[in-house]
Amino acid sequence: MRDQNYQELVKKVTMYLDNELSESAERELLREIKANPAYLKVLSQEKSFREFIKSIHRRKPSPALIQSIKEKIRIAPV
Amino acid sequence: MMVMTQENKTERYDRIFEQEFMPQIDALYTFAYHLTYNEDDANDLVQETYLKAFRFIDKYDEGTNAKAWLFKILKNAFINQYRKKAKQPNRVDYEEIVGYHDEEDTNFSSYMDLREEMFQGMMGDEVTNAINALPVDFRVVILLCDIEGFTYEEISKIIDIPIGTVRSRLHRARNLLKTKLQEYAESLGFKDKRS
């Protein structure tokens, strides 16, 4: 795959994974992917990369912070 | 016409705060922590966000996108408070990043096999370090899009940049991460497939 085409494909796949493609663009991309096994590999790798990055830990606020916010709100004028 | 008394206004604001704002606290705290990397600063940032949200609650339309509204307040508080204190990583020179990536991108497809090996869970904490080391403007779009699931349009409104800039910043952020991960992989003995 030529680099320019590859970059274009990655951009489209990225937008597809971000749910940002229009319906017609999505249909066109899926048609291209179906017709070309190399495209499918790009999609699966980008998807893996995304899941890999996601797997950035969520953190929980302490009960003390929640309590403090609620107390301050109670005395704050609107 | 219904006249809103002070009492039912207070009840309404309390309901909005409890039902729409407080459920977002985990996501806000995660975002704040990944901006500051300091628990005390993250606590201060989240607390300031909620106090500001309550102060301006009459500007919020009940039942709309509370999460995006709160994230925007938090982002502004972060810029106002923490950039001044210079506690966060320095902003990047985008031209430097763009130039660097233009050069890297020409051979980018040859990294694919290497990255696939990396996805098998061999990398450990270095990956977290790579994410933490992203310049803050890039880390923000990754957090908002990949972790919180905001749309490009929502991100555009939260951080006040055009949608096209959201798209290109995400693209560069992800490429920067891939490059950083590749460096870590090589330091652990993985071979660059180009050589």
Side-chain angles (χ1 to χ4, degrees):
Chain A
M1 203 184 310
R2 284 178 55 237
D3 285 329
Q4 189 60 40
N5 292 345
Y6 173 76
Q7 287 301 319
E8 279 307 309
L9 176 63
V10 168
K11 275 181 190 169
K12 271 196 264 184
V13 163
T14 292
M15 288 183 70
Y16 168 67
L17 292 173
D18 289 342
N19 297 316
E20 294 285 345
L21 280 185
S22 68
E23 277 186 29
S24 60
E26 191 171 301
R27 273 198 301 272
E28 188 191 336
L29 175 66
L30 293 176
R31 253 201 314 272
E32 285 177 354
I33 286 172
K34 207 172 174 181
N36 191 330
Y39 286 19
L40 184 60
K41 193 177 181 192
V42 171
L43 174 63
S44 72
Q45 285 168 332
E46 285 300 316
K47 207 170 173 176
S48 299
F49 179 70
R50 194 70 57 86
E51 291 305 315
F52 185 62
I53 295 307
K54 265 188 180 178
S55 72
I56 298 181
H57 303 296
R58 286 194 172 278
R59 301 181 68 92
K60 300 283 278 184
S62 67
L65 173 64
I66 296 170
Q67 187 61 30
S68 167
I69 288 169
K70 289 185 174 180
E71 280 171 8
K72 287 185 172 162
I73 293 310
R74 222 167 276 145
I75 56 171
V78 178
Chain B
M1 193 175 96
M2 186 184 142
V3 176
M4 186 168 271
T5 64
Q6 182 60 39
E7 187 180 16
N8 61 27
K9 191 170 84 168
T10 303
E11 283 173 6
R12 180 170 161 261
Y13 290 160
D14 284 349
R15 186 184 65 244
I16 290 172
F17 198 85
E18 279 299 327
Q19 294 180 0
E20 297 194 43
F21 291 0
M22 285 313 284
Q24 310 301 336
I25 194 166
D26 286 13
L28 285 164
Y29 185 76
T30 294
F31 187 48
Y33 183 81
H34 284 99
L35 289 175
T36 61
Y37 290 117
N38 177 306
E39 284 189 12
D40 290 338
D41 287 347
N43 282 337
D44 289 348
L45 202 47
V46 170
Q47 184 152 283
E48 184 181 346
T49 298
Y50 274 103
L51 289 174
K52 276 188 176 156
F54 194 68
R55 195 178 309 144
F56 297 107
I57 199 165
D58 58 328
K59 309 285 183 217
Y60 170 73
D61 293 328
E62 190 172 2
T64 58
N65 195 339
K67 187 176 177 182
W69 196 71
L70 291 166
F71 267 71
K72 187 176 176 106
I73 293 173
L74 192 147
K75 183 270 305 181
N76 287 336
F78 170 69
I79 288 171
N80 293 340
Q81 296 298 317
Y82 293 88
R83 277 226 168 113
K84 279 177 194 165
K85 293 179 189 172
K87 279 191 174 178
Q88 81 298 342
N90 294 329
R91 296 195 68 167
V92 288
D93 178 342
Y94 287 126
E95 290 309 310
E96 204 175 285
I97 291 286
V98 174
Y100 177 63
H101 283 289
D102 284 347
E103 188 184 349
E104 287 292 313
D105 281 350
T106 55
N107 289 310
F108 192 60
S109 57
S110 57
Y111 296 157
M112 293 304 262
D113 293 339
L114 172 68
R115 285 191 354 235
E116 210 160 33
E117 287 176 33
M118 289 155 49
F119 297 149
Q120 308 307 315
M122 301 175 181
M123 304 292 290
D125 286 344
E126 295 293 7
V127 179
T128 311
N129 293 342
I131 293 164
N132 295 355
L134 275 181
V136 68
D137 293 311
F138 288 172
R139 203 163 66 231
V140 163
V141 289
I142 291 273
L143 289 166
L144 293 177
C145 184
D146 291 352
I147 306 304
E148 297 304 336
F150 285 115
T151 65
Y152 291 2
E153 187 178 5
E154 287 170 331
I155 295 170
S156 157
K157 286 177 181 163
I158 290 169
I159 57 179
D160 294 320
I161 57 174
I163 286 185
T165 309
V166 171
R167 195 179 300 125
S168 61
R169 204 175 279 186
L170 264 173
H171 183 66
R172 287 177 199 151
R174 286 166 179 154
N175 280 358
L176 193 54
L177 261 186
K178 288 166 186 169
T179 304
K180 281 178 184 294
L181 294 178
Q182 185 228 345
E183 287 166 5
Y184 286 129
E186 286 180 352
S187 74
L188 292 182
F190 288 97
K191 293 288 184 209
D192 184 339
K193 303 279 179 182
R194 291 174 300 173
S195 53

